[in-house]
Amino acid sequence: MGRTTKSENAQYHDRIIDIDILLYDDLHIDYPELQIPHPLMMERDFVVIPLKEVLD
């Protein structure tokens, strides 16, 4: 269900479904269609800040 086209202002259109699996136990998966842990999660404050609170 990936985004394939961009809108007129170069932004991606919404997807029908968009689920980012950040972590799942100690699982590591690296397929083109699925990567766990999420490869960009450490670059996003809206992920890192709450995650730090949970893990502390």
Side-chain angles (χ1 to χ4, degrees):
M1 296 199 158
R3 293 178 273 202
T4 57
T5 60
K6 291 187 177 186
S7 65
E8 293 174 15
N9 61 357
Q11 297 295 318
Y12 282 111
H13 291 285
D14 291 338
R15 289 183 264 195
I16 296 170
I17 195 168
D18 184 12
I19 299 172
D20 291 328
I21 301 172
L22 304 175
L23 300 166
Y24 190 87
D25 288 331
D26 292 329
L27 188 64
H28 291 269
I29 296 176
D30 191 12
Y31 297 123
E33 64 278 359
L34 177 64
Q35 293 176 308
I36 300 174
H38 191 285
L40 301 176
M41 73 179 199
M42 298 309 288
E43 298 176 16
R44 298 181 173 143
D45 286 343
F46 67 89
V47 171
V48 174
I49 292 169
L51 186 59
K52 184 178 181 323
E53 291 178 11
V54 170
L55 296 176
D56 280 347

